[in-house]
Amino acid sequence: MKKLLFILLICIVSACQNDEQDPGQKGLAASIENSDYDGKKVVMIIVDTMMGSLVDSALQEESMPALQFLVENGQYYKELVSPFPTMSVTIESTLLTGEMADKHKVPGLYWYDQSEDRLVNYGSSFQTWLALGVKTSMHDALYKLNNQHLSQNVTTLFEDLEEKGLSSGAINTVIYQGKDKHKLKIPGFINEALGIPNAIETKGPDLLAFGKLAVPDVLEETDFSDGVFSRYGLNDKFSAEVMEALIKEGKQPDFTLIFLPDFDKKAHRHSPHYLKGFEETDQYLQGILNAYGSWEDALEENIFIVLGDHGSDKLTEDEEELTINLQNLYSEFTSAQLGDPVHKGNIAFGINQRMAYIYDPYDTEILPYLGQQAMQDKRVAFAAWMDKEEAGNWVTVISPDSDTMFRFKPEGEWLDKYGQSWSIDGDTGILSVEADEITGQISYQDYPDVLNQLYTSFLSHEAKKVVLAAEPGYSFWGDTLPTYPDGGEHGGIHKNDTLTALVIAGTDKEPEKLRILDLKDYVMELFSEEAGLDGQAER
């Protein structure tokens, strides 16, 4: 998500301010007024790249009093599993729908839309947007992502809560699909330069705040840090200020999802373990807790869920060594120039930092060869592709360190810790899966929930593809993409990418499964226990 915010910032900063007010968000006040809910409200705060090692260090140093207060008065988990790819657009889609990408259909930050024969990119870099077309990419990020690409066959947490008569809000999240109409106001001359409207209509929860693009009408008289020198509100400070104002003015929704994006940028540049940068997050957590009068009052009135969206892998220092150049690896093939129809080449790349999709747009049955080609580079952990057979869709996985292969598909005699059953065959060590023949149980080591994560990624979009995963310390690279020598990166499926932290305070109810996939159901259960949600009349 942080890359999307960065790109939007560039576009906005290059423009003049447009202070014209558009009517739009009028549903929140009515939602609060009409709600009969009198239980604890739920505040969910996503801290980008918050990992257990960072939380442990902060607790040891006693350097983050707000986070420490929540941990000491609640539950703390170090191994919350993210979906795959570990990019914020896919993660937020899974969090809000309770489905993996095979159902919500947001396959990553960078992917091939076969129906339009083009690459979609929500914000890897401004250079990527220039190559693909700024107008098209901005439309993808600001409109299509929530209104078309996110499947209309699944419902979000916001929509489900509204069906139960509860109000909800999203602050600086990229995924926010709901039932209420909102307008994203495009500042300055961007609409004229790109030929786009000065306001983009979208659908979200009762309250939607997205930097200066969407300031809720219920707070239109409030001053926020959303000027040019404050990145137009696309930062932690704006997120916290909006929440503080909602609390103080009695406009807090029953459920609020808040995104704090700033630490991820520091983790990329410095290190995933950059404690000093992580500690700055606490001032915003303190501000939210202080808005209730006392921190004890905050827990009396709310359930707080603070989580990271993904982990981050420490990259090697040498830039040339850390980057796996896919153009060089597949030099015998051609790929279309960015911005051209994908079919002008014989393959295409959808690079999500530490994972990559390698596409066969003509369906020429070269997937096994593309996978084998990647085995030339020992920095590639494995390659996988899906074989569609009469007996079911098997996924085949190979690795540079093994002369054999591993195959799996859903439904079978093997059961994992999440209650998912699988058929497996071959060398389980390729994915560090351990199979106990006595109990019929399989366990995951280096790749938490890897079978579910990999399988659903193949069904997330139609194009024929190979999935590549990078070894720790390395990242995939293509023209226009940034690199972070000696810094941090994610996107991959290794536990370094997929394990993040979770803190819950204000309730004794524990989550049954420690996956972001299961948090939507957990939140709905919290409301049910607080006030008999199932028996409430719908609005």
Side-chain angles (χ1 to χ4, degrees), residues 500-526:
T500 188
L502 172 67
V503 177
I504 302 171
T507 179
D508 292 329
K509 182 175 178 58
E510 299 178 357
E512 291 183 11
K513 299 172 184 176
L514 288 176
R515 298 185 299 182
I516 287 177
L517 171 63
D518 302 298
L519 288 181
K520 177 188 178 184
D521 286 343
Y522 175 71
V523 171
M524 294 298 294
E525 290 167 5
L526 287 175

Side-chain angles (χ1 to χ4, degrees), residues 318-338:
D318 184 87
E319 184 171 14
E320 184 174 352
E321 181 185 356
L322 80 84
T323 51
I324 304 169
N325 190 321
L326 293 174
Q327 292 282 3
N328 292 343
L329 191 57
Y330 292 100
S331 58
E332 66 185 276
F333 296 92
T334 61
S335 58
Q337 293 291 317
L338 293 183

Side-chain angles (χ1 to χ4, degrees), residues 123-237:
S124 293
S125 71
F126 188 60
Q127 289 76 17
T128 305
W129 271 23
L130 284 174
L132 294 176
V134 175
K135 177 182 177 180
T136 298
S137 295
M138 183 175 285
H139 189 62
D140 285 337
L142 294 181
Y143 180 76
K144 283 195 170 184
L145 174 56
N146 277 279
N147 297 281
Q148 291 182 8
H149 294 161
L150 185 68
S151 175
Q152 304 303 299
N153 295 322
V154 295
T155 59
T156 65
L157 182 53
F158 303 126
E159 293 170 310
D160 290 352
L161 289 172
E162 183 168 346
E163 286 295 317
K164 299 297 183 180
L166 295 170
S167 59
S168 61
I171 302 174
N172 269 352
T173 64
V174 169
I175 304 297
Y176 49 74
Q177 179 180 287
K179 295 186 176 182
D180 290 12
K181 291 182 179 180
H182 299 276
K183 288 186 177 180
L184 301 178
K185 292 170 280 188
I186 310 301
F189 62 80
I190 294 179
N191 55 317
E192 296 180 7
L194 298 179
I196 60 177
N198 59 10
I200 297 175
E201 190 170 282
T202 189
K203 285 190 175 182
D206 301 289
L207 176 135
L208 177 63
F210 189 67
K212 199 171 184 65
L213 278 71
V215 177
D217 283 358
V218 294
L219 300 176
E220 62 184 6
E221 302 300 324
T222 308
D223 291 328
F224 293 113
S225 299
D226 58 1
V228 62
F229 296 109
S230 297
R231 305 208 314 263
Y232 279 89
L234 301 177
N235 55 36
D236 290 2
K237 189 174 184 180

Side-chain angles (χ1 to χ4, degrees), residues 368-439:
Y369 182 78
L370 294 176
Q372 290 288 349
Q373 191 75 359
M375 299 301 95
Q376 298 178 69
D377 196 318
K378 297 294 185 181
R379 296 170 297 177
V380 176
F382 64 78
W385 60 92
M386 179 173 282
D387 299 309
K388 293 193 174 182
E389 305 172 356
E390 289 185 6
N393 299 335
W394 286 83
V395 172
T396 298
V397 190
I398 59 176
S399 137
D401 297 326
S402 176
D403 294 330
T404 59
M405 64 176 60
F406 175 60
R407 301 174 76 230
F408 69 92
K409 67 175 182 178
E411 300 182 5
E413 65 276 18
W414 296 92
L415 198 67
D416 67 17
K417 65 185 291 186
Y418 303 109
Q420 301 163 150
S421 68
W422 302 96
S423 296
I424 61 175
D425 178 46
D427 183 3
T428 59
I430 289 175
L431 291 180
S432 72
V433 172
E434 294 184 357
D436 188 326
E437 294 187 0
I438 297 176
T439 64

Side-chain angles (χ1 to χ4, degrees), residues 16 27 30 68 86 98 115 126 128 206 215 257 297 300 305 320 323 344 346 374 392 410 418 424 456 496 501 525 536:
C16 302
Q68 184 167 341
T86 45
S115 66
F126 188 60
T128 305
D206 301 289
V215 177
L257 180 62
D297 288 344
E300 283 293 323
I305 304 172
E320 184 174 352
T323 51
K344 287 191 173 183
N346 8 71
Y418 303 109
I424 61 175
T456 53
N496 294 354
E525 290 167 5
Q536 285 194 10

Side-chain angles (χ1 to χ4, degrees), residues 17 54 96 112 117 195 197 251 267 286 362 369-370 419 426 448 466 483 488 529:
Q17 279 189 255
L54 281 167
L96 286 169
Y112 172 41
D117 195 31
K251 304 287 180 61
Q286 291 180 44
Y362 285 99
Y369 182 78
L370 294 176
V466 169
T483 56
E529 290 192 359

Side-chain angles (χ1 to χ4, degrees), residues 17 36 59 135 166 282 343 444 464 468 487 508 520:
Q17 279 189 255
D36 294 326
L59 295 176
K135 177 182 177 180
L166 295 170
D282 203 66
H343 76 264
Y444 305 120
K464 302 292 184 180
L468 301 184
D508 292 329
K520 177 188 178 184

